[in-house]
Amino acid sequence: MKKLTKIAAFAAALCLGAALLAGCSGSNDAASDNAADGAATNADAPTLIVGLDNAYPPYGFIGDDGNLTGFDIDLASQVAARNNWNLELEAIDWDAKDALLNQGTINCIWNGFTMEGREGKYTFSKPYMHNEQVVVVKKDSGINTLEDLAGKNVMTQVDSAALEVLEDEEGQKALADTFAGGKVQTIGDYNNAFMQLESGAVDAVACDLSIADYQMSAKPDMFMKLEPLSAENYAVGFKKGDTEMADAVSKTLKEMYDDGTIAQLCEKWGEYGITIDNWVLVD
């Protein structure tokens, strides 16, 4: 696995509240400032090492300034700061995430990570965000229902929740069997999948609701989504048995909801399709 990025971001998270009140945009307030300043970490403090896909907007991606940014990165930065943890962000090959977690290269997966169907492989935080698996098509494609996908080229990201749903006998495999080639096609990341859709190389992209909303907000006249394939939730995934850190993340996210920080972050990322209506960690 080629290591793409490693950022120590703990110190920068301390100024996130001020940045939010100043009405900051989707730039990497929590991570890029720290990278620029070269802020030192506390050697005696625990480190939250977040594995993420850096091409997964709006949860984690490379911003226009060349730095990591995203809704989940802002969440992780705040959680680390409030627990006096160091924070490292590791952009990883998504299909290597399990090996990296088991090796200790990362100690959590926090990047729009679906928990349903994976409960036996990870120790999860409490779910924090509702999500759905949906299919996005071009508005002028003539595809209006899932049934219209018969014989069409449908693409999704490798090792994604959408792929799991479309390969699951109890999920939507019967639907995927009707696609061109009798299955869904895969690609390394969703950005390239949507480039394929825009160019006409494929007819549809199966993806998370948040990814669909992000792409549609960027090009509202081009894309539309069909009815959901499935409903699910995002949570932070830790190595099996790491309950202490998972519980601390859950507790801190609840505190952030109670004090209004989550509402501020959802507003910050609203133009990217994030909404407080999908936040579920309220109890």
Side-chain angles (χ1 to χ4, degrees), residues 25-38:
S25 66
S27 62
N28 186 16
D29 303 295
S32 62
D33 289 347
N34 182 75
D37 295 341

Side-chain angles (χ1 to χ4, degrees), residues 9-59:
F10 167 67
L14 299 177
C15 66
L16 177 60
L20 288 169
L21 295 176
C24 51
S25 66
S27 62
N28 186 16
D29 303 295
S32 62
D33 289 347
N34 182 75
D37 295 341
T41 58
N42 182 352
D44 296 326
T47 300
L48 183 69
I49 311 173
V50 176
L52 58 96
D53 177 352
N54 70 355
Y56 200 74
Y59 286 88

Side-chain angles (χ1 to χ4, degrees), residues 113-188:
F113 192 43
T114 299
M115 67 179 295
E116 281 80 6
R118 294 168 168 158
E119 294 90 343
K121 295 178 63 177
Y122 308 92
T123 291
F124 280 102
S125 70
K126 288 185 177 179
Y128 63 91
M129 185 70 81
H130 172 76
N131 184 50
E132 295 173 345
Q133 295 304 319
V134 299
V135 176
V136 177
V137 298
K138 294 173 77 170
K139 283 187 174 181
D140 61 359
S141 66
I143 301 172
N144 298 300
T145 68
L146 294 177
E147 290 73 21
D148 294 337
L149 295 171
K152 305 297 185 183
N153 291 298
V154 182
M155 180 171 281
T156 192
Q157 179 175 290
V158 63
D159 203 27
S160 64
L163 180 62
E164 291 181 11
V165 169
L166 289 166
E167 290 183 339
D168 187 352
E169 293 284 357
E170 297 181 0
Q172 295 283 1
K173 186 178 184 303
L175 174 66
D177 288 344
T178 70
F179 298 164
K183 63 180 181 179
V184 62
Q185 303 175 30
T186 58
I187 197 168

Side-chain angles (χ1 to χ4, degrees), residues 51-78:
L52 58 96
D53 177 352
N54 70 355
Y56 200 74
Y59 286 88
F61 62 104
I62 302 297
D64 292 338
D65 60 1
N67 293 308
L68 279 168
T69 188
F71 179 70
D72 275 350
I73 289 174
D74 282 353
L75 292 181
S77 298
Q78 275 281 303

Side-chain angles (χ1 to χ4, degrees), residues 226-259:
L226 307 181
E227 62 264 36
L229 295 168
S230 66
E232 58 198 32
N233 293 283
Y234 286 158
V236 186
F238 292 85
K239 187 175 180 179
K240 198 70 176 173
D242 188 1
T243 57
E244 182 177 358
M245 197 165 254
D247 290 346
V249 167
S250 299
K251 180 176 180 291
T252 308
L253 289 175
K254 172 60 167 56
E255 292 170 352
M256 289 166 59
Y257 173 79
D258 290 341
D259 68 22

Side-chain angles (χ1 to χ4, degrees), residues 95-115:
D95 56 355
K97 60 186 181 297
D98 293 344
L100 296 173
L101 189 63
N102 290 328
Q103 293 165 6
T105 304
I106 60 176
N107 57 21
C108 76
I109 303 167
W110 195 339
N111 194 209
F113 192 43
T114 299
M115 67 179 295

